[in-house]
Amino acid sequence: MYRSHILVCGGTGCTSNKSFKIVEALNKELAERNLSEEVKVITTGCFGLCAKGPIMIVYPEGTFYHSIKVENVPEIIEEHIIGGKPVERLLHRENDGKVVNSLHETEFMKKQVRLALRNCGVIDPENIQEYIGRDGYQALAKVLTQMTPQDVIDVILASGLRGRGGAGFPTGLKWKFAKASQGPVKYVCCNADEGDPGAFMDRSVLEGDPHVVIEAMAIAAYAIGSNQGYVYVRAEYPIAVKRLQLAIDQAKEYGILGKNIFGTGFDFDLEIRLGAGAFVCGEETALMTSIEGKRGEPRPRPPFPAIKGLFGKPTILNNVETYANVPQIILKGAEWFSSIGTEKSKGTKVFALGGKIVNTGLVEVPMGTTLREVVFEIGGGIPNGKKFKAAQTGGPSGGCIPTEHLDVPIDYDNLIAIGSMMGSGGLIVMDEDNCMVDIAKFFLEFTVDESCGKCTPCRIGNKRLLELLTKVTDGTATLEDLDKMEQLCYYIKANSLCGLGQTAPNPVLSTLRYFRDEYVAHVVDKRCPAGVCKKLLKYSIDKDKCIGCGMCAKKCPADAISRTDYTAEGHKLASMAIDTNKCVKCGACMSTCKFGAVKKG
Amino acid sequence: MQIEQLNNIKNEMHKQFVNRLQENESTIKFCLGVKSSGITADKKALILSMIEYVSERFDNALVMFDSDLDDGLTVFCGGKTEYYGVNDFNAAKTVVDKYLA
Ligand SMILES: Cc1cc2nc3c(=O)[nH]c(=O)nc-3n(C[C@H](O)[C@H](O)[C@H](O)COP(=O)(O)O)c2cc1C
């Protein structure tokens, strides 16, 4: 029994901020002061507020410390653990300066509802007993002893749970099809490939609560009649892979995986397969091909995996976050789950908030929360007083949502209606300094790179589309090119083999739909309104503002800045000027000038 | 592993979580005042016994030191605050039991 628990985030974000050094320092300090028997230090998964890492929470008070440094540790032990008073200086301050003691009182947390992330930041993910202490494996025990496979499927169907990995397909329906498929061998797979740039929800679940995925997969296996599962996870997630493997080993040791689980006669085993980071391997058929040891290329559907999947056998594949909801649904019931969310999208969704936003991190909100709430209340708004321009959801398959749709309740169907999609939950915020043509180009470059090349519309069509888009950003496109682009988008969408090609043009289409004026400015005025597209950029020096200090010339790597004969009134030195023929548009002059004399346009 | 074993681990671990939960409106807080005494060895022994006792009886309760309160035990429950001038485990147990109902 401990009188106090100190929880330190050991997710990837905080680990890269060296949170493990904080853990070491805490343990050392506690040992030196003979407090190790009274106070326990626990490394947990992600608390969500990644922007402020390393994060630490001290219980029982629930005191939230962030941006902690090793030097702060003795003070926290002395004042808080020994003295009984939180170190106020290190507490969180909201934007208005208000001091907040607990993470749950922050604006960031207030509107969040943590279902999929319920154990992240709460338990030690490397200790199966902590998971069990939070009702872990109770749902599996319940299904194996009190429910038939059909009961399980009925509950999942009634809950309204839809897949969190992409298209939002009803999970219960997928399981029902797989159960109905005949055959002695079936497989249960988990998609932890998480290829969308900016998405890290699945990684956080695996890092913070790996047993939930194991438990849910065992439940799914029982429901469809399978004895073998695979988790496909990218090798670039070393912490997630390590903790998942540890969790599998512990579950085997406890007899929760393997033969005759809980003495019920049900057998289930689970293995990890590492992906090499190809985006296309997140597509379900490519993923299965990759598990089979072949090159990860998609296969035409039908037949769907529920009929003919991994190794030609009936298979279900679900996303990590989808699975993370399952044990709670079994324990608390379909009605409880379906009471959260909107009519057609039940439960919550985890978003990875990134881009131009104050609170970068992971948020979990009920379906139906508006983008405004996510960006401005939970996310803390746009930094540096800049204006919100758009939010990109759905990664390379998604689209950009402009200001006019900030109040649309986020769910699967609403996002599709406004030209985007839920995708896996990456949410990248853009401000007035982002060029929307450049954003579309960024995502298209990604999909062109990641296309497996198997089908022509995707392999060649997207490449042609990128060439047209590059003409726009270079200022050499015509208005007819914009029409051509749009037409090409529809051809690619209609004719590609898999979801990668079918959705790759979405970022182009959505930016054309909402930000056509920016495209037109590039094409007609040969101007990038946000000042991002290099070929259309011109740097100049306002000769009346320039004091002639010459710092810009010193910093210029191209020797493009020289002194003029003109001395502005009140200044002692002649002003500087940029030779646009020599300028490489690196922007060094602008960031060096303290007098705001360098202009971009 | 059998289900009874799973439940045994659950119950044992559950005790650990009692003092590691995020408080909400229905959390009962048992606070030991340490303003005048400081966190002494006696106070530490008392808090550990109380945590054990409370964790076996409550799902949503916290036991903590409070350096803003003088000696004794202050209980925060359902928006009400009650002070008890108790400083030993037997007396504290009687107070805790009052809140079981
Ligand atoms: C190109 C491409 C990449 C994908 N990447 C992922 C991924 O990283 N993770 C994921 O869960 N689903 C991904 N999907 C969706 C999967 O094909 C599949 O629909 C999903 O894993 C099913 O699980 P769910 O029903 O639980 O959402 C991707 C789809 C496409 C077309």
Side-chain angles (χ1 to χ4, degrees):
Chain A
M1 203 53 77
Y2 296 90
R3 72 169 165 97
S4 188
H5 294 89
I6 304 179
L7 274 57
V8 181
C9 176
T12 292
C14 283
T15 300
S16 64
N17 268 322
K18 302 207 165 34
S19 61
F20 53 91
K21 296 242 180 226
I22 307 284
V23 173
E24 280 167 23
L26 281 166
N27 280 323
K28 186 166 163 265
E29 194 75 22
L30 288 170
E32 280 172 12
R33 292 166 182 259
N34 270 336
L35 290 168
S36 305
E37 300 288 305
E38 296 168 34
V39 182
K40 189 175 184 187
V41 182
I42 298 149
T43 302
T44 68
C46 181
F47 291 97
L49 198 49
C50 307
K52 302 240 186 293
I55 286 178
M56 175 201 285
I57 299 197
V58 181
Y59 286 107
E61 298 85 0
T63 306
F64 164 48
Y65 294 115
H66 64 78
S67 316
I68 292 296
K69 298 187 179 68
V70 169
E71 305 88 88
N72 303 136
V73 168
E75 189 181 358
I76 291 172
I77 300 292
E78 182 66 39
E79 283 190 30
H80 190 153
I81 301 295
I82 298 176
K85 255 197 175 339
V87 185
E88 186 153 339
R89 187 174 61 80
L90 300 174
L91 295 179
H92 174 68
R93 279 185 169 70
E94 296 285 17
N95 286 347
D96 60 7
K98 192 177 128 211
V99 177
V100 177
N101 183 63
S102 137
L103 178 61
H104 288 253
E105 291 163 12
T106 59
E107 291 300 326
F108 178 74
M109 273 305 219
K110 269 187 197 159
K111 289 212 162 168
Q112 293 199 46
V113 175
R114 292 196 143 204
L115 306 186
L117 300 176
R118 71 184 276 275
N119 284 331
C120 292
V122 176
I123 63 167
D124 172 358
E126 299 193 2
N127 181 348
I128 188 172
Q129 297 207 348
E130 295 232 335
Y131 180 67
I132 294 172
R134 294 266 298 165
D135 293 336
Y137 293 111
Q138 292 290 331
L140 179 61
K142 181 176 172 184
V143 304
L144 294 184
T145 56
Q146 299 168 30
M147 296 171 81
T148 64
Q150 190 56 49
D151 291 338
V152 177
I153 288 174
D154 289 343
V155 170
I156 300 298
L157 270 172
S159 73
L161 176 65
R162 294 171 66 173
R164 302 299 195 238
F169 191 80
T171 306
L173 206 55
K174 193 182 275 189
W175 293 15
K176 184 176 157 185
F177 292 147
K179 179 175 183 291
S181 284
Q182 298 305 312
V185 180
K186 296 181 188 177
Y187 295 106
V188 170
C189 294
C190 173
N191 192 340
D193 193 52
E194 197 159 59
D196 289 7
F200 54 96
M201 304 76 48
D202 298 346
R203 185 190 75 202
S204 290
V205 172
L206 290 178
E207 287 176 352
D209 194 15
H211 285 283
V212 76
V213 175
I214 299 174
E215 182 175 11
M217 290 180 75
I219 292 170
Y222 173 73
I224 70 158
S226 159
N227 303 116
Q228 179 65 47
Y230 293 96
V231 182
Y232 189 85
V233 52
R234 55 180 47 229
E236 289 109 318
Y237 282 180
I239 301 177
V241 172
K242 178 187 145 221
R243 292 198 183 142
L244 180 63
Q245 188 58 60
L246 203 68
I248 292 173
D249 295 344
Q250 287 176 353
K252 283 185 183 167
E253 196 187 306
Y254 277 64
I256 292 170
L257 283 177
K259 298 253 177 260
N260 195 20
I261 297 169
F262 297 134
T264 59
F266 171 65
D267 305 337
F268 182 61
D269 217 331
L270 194 55
E271 286 173 38
I272 296 178
R273 287 290 179 271
L274 295 184
F279 178 55
V280 74
C281 284
E283 193 280 333
E284 59 182 14
T285 60
L287 182 149
M288 289 174 202
T289 314
S290 175
I291 293 181
E292 288 166 5
K294 300 177 205 138
R295 184 185 166 127
E297 284 180 342
R299 312 194 269 245
R301 297 175 310 176
F304 287 95
I307 313 292
K308 198 168 174 230
L310 185 62
F311 300 113
K313 307 291 180 203
T315 304
I316 55 163
L317 172 78
N318 280 115
N319 165 262
V320 171
E321 189 187 331
T322 314
Y323 281 127
N325 284 290
V326 168
Q328 288 296 298
I329 294 173
I330 297 292
L331 288 179
K332 294 188 176 165
E335 248 176 59
W336 161 78
F337 188 77
S338 64
S339 69
I340 304 162
T342 63
E343 194 195 336
K344 290 188 180 153
S345 302
K346 302 299 186 186
T348 57
K349 180 76 195 85
V350 184
F351 289 101
L353 272 187
K356 308 279 184 65
I357 185 129
V358 173
N359 297 329
T360 310
L362 268 198
V363 306
E364 181 170 1
V365 287
M367 296 274 191
T369 305
T370 65
L371 192 58
R372 188 185 299 282
E373 289 170 293
V374 174
V375 173
F376 290 96
E377 294 180 32
I378 299 170
I382 318 297
N384 309 319
K386 298 270 176 175
K387 266 211 325 248
F388 171 89
K389 189 186 242 182
Q392 217 279 349
T393 65
S397 312
C400 292
I401 307 170
T403 319
E404 68 209 71
H405 291 313
L406 269 173
D407 293 311
V408 170
I410 304 173
D411 71 10
Y412 291 102
D413 310 287
N414 284 345
L415 286 185
I416 287 178
I418 57 175
S420 187
M421 65 184 287
M422 188 80 84
S424 57
L427 203 160
I428 299 169
V429 179
M430 282 155 284
D431 70 6
E432 55 198 279
D433 292 340
N434 287 105
C435 165
M436 299 314 285
V437 187
D438 181 64
I439 292 290
K441 194 173 154 197
F442 166 81
F443 282 110
L444 196 63
E445 272 168 350
F446 177 83
T447 33
V448 165
D449 251 10
E450 295 290 336
S451 169
C452 74
K454 184 169 177 175
C455 75
T456 319
C458 178
R459 183 183 70 243
I460 297 180
N462 278 317
K463 192 119 187 145
R464 293 289 94 86
L465 187 59
L466 180 60
E467 283 165 8
L468 286 167
L469 207 50
T470 307
K471 278 177 80 181
V472 179
T473 56
D474 284 356
T476 56
T478 62
L479 285 175
E480 291 80 67
D481 285 329
L482 296 188
D483 296 336
K484 241 194 244 171
M485 273 168 53
E486 211 157 351
Q487 206 177 28
L488 186 53
C489 283
Y490 290 116
Y491 285 141
I492 297 168
K493 280 173 76 72
N495 297 302
S496 292
L497 171 63
C498 85
L500 192 149
Q502 287 158 12
T503 57
N506 285 353
V508 179
L509 282 174
S510 81
T511 45
L512 268 171
R513 174 172 167 187
Y514 293 118
F515 299 96
R516 202 178 183 94
D517 52 335
E518 284 197 32
Y519 279 85
V520 172
H522 285 70
V523 172
V524 177
D525 308 337
K526 309 292 174 211
R527 186 175 65 84
C528 171
V532 171
C533 296
K534 265 197 170 178
K535 289 252 166 90
L536 300 177
L537 264 190
K538 241 210 248 133
Y539 284 92
S540 59
I541 293 177
D542 182 333
K543 61 184 181 85
D544 290 313
K545 275 193 183 166
C546 176
I547 67 151
C549 68
M551 285 308 289
C552 53
K554 279 196 189 131
K555 281 276 151 93
C556 176
D559 219 3
I561 305 179
S562 55
R563 197 171 293 281
T564 64
D565 301 332
Y566 175 81
T567 308
E569 221 182 288
H571 293 164
K572 289 191 186 116
L573 297 168
S575 69
M576 312 300 288
I578 299 173
D579 179 345
T580 49
N581 290 325
K582 283 189 184 170
C583 175
V584 291
K585 300 169 186 177
C586 65
C589 50
M590 195 165 180
S591 45
T592 307
C593 179
K594 291 195 188 109
F595 307 95
V598 181
K599 290 184 301 186
K600 177 168 91 164
Chain B
M1 176 191 268
Q2 299 300 313
I3 290 174
E4 300 93 81
Q5 287 165 288
L6 183 77
N7 289 335
N8 289 342
I9 299 176
K10 179 186 153 178
N11 293 336
E12 203 41 50
M13 289 307 294
H14 197 74
K15 290 188 202 164
Q16 297 274 342
F17 283 110
V18 161
N19 234 29
R20 203 212 286 185
L21 54 83
Q22 191 59 52
E23 64 176 272
N24 53 35
E25 284 133 33
S26 39
T27 307
I28 305 178
K29 289 203 288 180
F30 298 97
C31 298
L32 288 171
V34 288
K35 190 173 174 185
S36 50
S37 64
I39 301 178
T40 59
D42 284 352
K43 289 276 182 192
K44 281 184 190 172
L46 176 58
I47 203 170
L48 290 177
S49 309
M50 277 190 67
I51 291 169
E52 178 108 39
Y53 192 76
V54 168
S55 67
E56 279 164 2
R57 286 160 181 79
F58 292 86
D59 274 342
N60 190 0
L62 294 171
V63 184
M64 58 171 78
F65 287 134
D66 195 323
S67 58
D68 287 332
L69 303 171
D70 250 326
D71 259 12
L73 177 63
T74 306
V75 185
F76 298 87
C77 175
K80 287 201 197 117
T81 307
E82 297 273 1
Y83 174 77
Y84 303 89
V86 300
N87 285 305
D88 69 89
F89 183 45
N90 275 336
K93 275 200 301 195
T94 325
V95 173
V96 172
D97 289 346
K98 269 184 68 171
Y99 289 86
L100 269 174

